[in-house]
């Protein structure tokens, strides 16, 4: 066993979507001292709890993935909570990790922290060049402070703190709640349920014209652990596939894989959001020597298979 994977790793948010996949990658790579407390054990918005967690766990490495996350509708309904909880969790976990003498801290922010008008594919240097989309700005700016914080602690204390930016993630264990999920989870659920009910049509939000850069969650988890092992820089790195696909093409692919035979309708009264959103993945390729290569077809097949099995077992977050 290498010296690295005998280190104690603290993962916050280990029961979450990305966190659960990161735990699997750590296990595959032989990390056998991984601690992943739940929010029942520690409230990460309270400094006393965060300090108690570090005193109890004594980690050498911290992967901070806990956060209050949700779709555009929830962000619109609860902007103060989304701002406060994320800002507090991120600041406290980072500060207490530094204070406890942790060797490395790694966290993620969402692509929604980039300016609303950033040109696609979005390069990392555009981060602070404009305001994020208004609806999610309280959340997105709180998360963007992770980048400021990592740079400040690196400059003043030499703290090895890394921030990554995953693209539009999808995969097994995503949230499949139709009110609040992202497009892939929503459409997988809609097409599977429509097929089973022999429904004559499925409704997709917006015009179908927007494009997104979808990335399979297991690819992100693998690259995240690569960065944990190899990367030590204040420069943020996009983690995505680097390819864009339209919502129309996505809907048609999911219809084909689920063997849905009805019509696909577009509800243009629902928002399209940003028209094109892709990520520049040059840094990921050159600095991390990594790529996210699971094809959309393969990733969708695995996601759909997981959804179909897990919903029977009642294990889907609906
Ligand atoms: P974001 O726009 O990048 O934050 O990500 P989303 O996954 O929420 O939406 C991506 C695109 O998919 C947008 O253009 C949506 O209008 C479109 N879309 C189509 N149908 C749905 C749906 O049922 N749910 C969601 N969330 N988005 C949908």
């Amino acid at each position: 066993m290498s010296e690295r994977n005998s280190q104690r790793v603290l993962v916050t948010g280990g029961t979450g979507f990305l966190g659960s996949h990161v735990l699997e990658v750590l296990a595959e790579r032989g990390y056998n001292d991984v601690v992943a407390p739940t929010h029942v054990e520690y409230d990460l918005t309270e400094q006393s709890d965060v300090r108690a967690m570090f005193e109890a766990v004594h980690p050498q490495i911290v992967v901070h993935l806990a956060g209050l996350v949700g779709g555009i509708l929830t962000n619109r309904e609860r902007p103060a909570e989304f701002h406060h909880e994320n800002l507090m969790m991120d600041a406290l976990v980072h500060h207490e990790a530094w204070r406890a003498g942790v060797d490395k801290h790694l966290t993620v922010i969402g692509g929604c922290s980039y300016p609303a008008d950033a040109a696609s594919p979005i390069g990392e240097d555009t981060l602070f060049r404009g305001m994020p989309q208004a609806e999610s700005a309280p959340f997105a700016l709180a998360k963007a402070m992770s980048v400021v914080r990592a740079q400040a602690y690196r400059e003043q204390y030499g703290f090895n703190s890394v921030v990554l930016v995953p693209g539009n993630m999808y995969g097994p264990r995503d949230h499949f709640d139709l009110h609040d999920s992202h497009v892939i989870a929503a459409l997988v659920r809609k097409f599977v349920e429509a097929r089973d009910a022999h429904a004559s049509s499925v409704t997709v939000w917006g015009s179908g014209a927007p494009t997104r850069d979808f990335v399979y969650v297991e690819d992100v988890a693998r690259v995240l652990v690569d960065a944990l092992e190899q990367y030590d820089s204040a420069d943020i790195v996009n983690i995505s596939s680097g390819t864009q696909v339209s919502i129309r093409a996505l809907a048609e692919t999911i219809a084909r894989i689920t063997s849905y035979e009805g019509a696909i309708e577009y509800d243009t009264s629902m928002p399209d959001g940003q028209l094109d959103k892709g990520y520049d993945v040059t840094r990921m390729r050159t600095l991390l020597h990594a790529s996210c290569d699971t094809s959309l077809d393969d990733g969708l097949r695995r996601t759909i298979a997981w959804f179909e099995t897990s919903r029977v077992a009642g294990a889907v977050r609906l």
Side-chain angles (χ1 to χ4, degrees):
M1 190 196 304
S2 79
E3 193 189 315
R4 245 250 188 268
N5 55 24
S6 66
Q7 291 183 300
R8 175 164 297 172
V9 186
L10 169 68
V11 179
T12 71
T15 57
F17 176 41
L18 176 58
S20 68
H21 289 278
V22 167
L23 290 180
E24 283 182 4
V25 175
L26 288 170
E28 277 161 27
R29 296 212 188 160
Y31 288 84
N32 59 8
D33 194 4
V34 178
V35 184
T38 67
H39 68 276
V40 179
E41 292 168 77
Y42 301 105
D43 175 353
L44 300 182
T45 65
E46 293 292 338
Q47 185 164 29
S48 52
D49 275 31
V50 179
R51 194 163 284 185
M53 176 176 75
F54 278 97
E55 279 163 9
V57 178
H58 280 300
Q60 285 148 297
I61 300 176
V62 173
V63 182
H64 172 53
L65 301 173
L68 180 63
V69 295
I72 199 155
L73 299 176
T74 324
N75 266 274
R76 205 185 284 166
E77 289 156 8
R78 297 159 56 198
E81 268 175 86
F82 273 77
H83 179 77
H84 176 75
E85 297 214 0
N86 288 294
L87 194 69
M88 295 304 284
M89 279 190 252
D90 294 352
L92 291 172
V93 171
H94 193 268
H95 182 76
E96 294 300 324
W98 162 74
R99 191 176 168 275
V102 159
D103 292 334
K104 178 155 195 163
H105 179 284
L106 184 149
T107 193
V108 297
I109 65 171
C112 61
S113 290
Y114 284 116
D117 62 358
S120 181
I122 304 170
E124 290 90 343
D125 286 339
T126 62
L127 184 65
F128 290 114
R129 298 215 184 124
M131 276 293 280
Q133 198 189 22
E135 270 105 348
S136 52
F139 166 77
L141 289 172
K143 292 302 294 181
M145 285 306 110
S146 294
V147 180
V148 175
R149 188 177 303 115
Q151 289 173 351
Y153 280 62
R154 181 176 284 278
E155 199 174 302
Q156 186 173 348
Y157 306 126
F159 188 41
N160 182 349
S161 182
V162 166
V163 182
L164 305 176
V165 193
N168 282 44
M169 280 189 288
Y170 72 99
R173 303 199 286 272
D174 202 347
H175 297 259
F176 287 80
D177 165 0
L178 290 182
H179 176 74
D180 205 36
S181 64
H182 289 289
V183 61
I184 291 188
L187 294 188
V188 165
R189 179 169 171 191
K190 285 186 198 177
F191 280 102
V192 167
E193 291 179 352
R195 179 204 62 202
D196 291 353
H198 304 289
S200 58
S201 72
V202 161
T203 303
V204 175
W205 295 355
S207 63
T211 65
R212 293 291 181 272
D213 180 342
F214 295 110
V215 64
Y216 189 57
V217 65
E218 291 179 22
D219 287 348
V220 175
R222 181 177 40 75
V223 177
L224 187 150
V225 178
D226 290 345
L228 197 61
E229 293 175 338
Q230 302 161 20
Y231 191 60
D232 179 3
S233 164
D235 292 336
I236 61 171
V237 185
N238 291 336
I239 309 296
S240 206
S241 74
T243 54
Q244 282 166 249
V245 62
S246 73
I247 301 303
R248 180 179 297 274
L250 172 73
E252 287 167 1
T253 308
I254 297 175
R256 173 170 50 78
I257 298 173
T258 55
S259 307
Y260 165 77
E261 287 172 349
I264 301 176
E265 283 169 6
Y266 292 88
D267 179 357
T268 50
S269 70
M270 293 302 279
D272 268 340
Q274 219 160 311
L275 191 54
D276 287 313
K277 200 161 77 176
Y279 295 95
D280 184 339
V281 292
T282 312
R283 270 195 200 169
M284 176 181 76
R285 296 211 170 107
T286 55
L287 300 180
L288 299 180
H289 312 289
S291 57
C292 293
D293 290 333
T294 302
S295 70
L296 187 62
D297 228 79
D298 282 352
L300 286 174
R301 279 179 200 285
R302 290 189 226 164
T303 307
I304 291 163
W306 179 86
F307 177 76
E308 301 225 47
T309 322
S310 306
R311 86 190 159 126
V312 175
V316 179
R317 285 183 274 215
L318 293 173

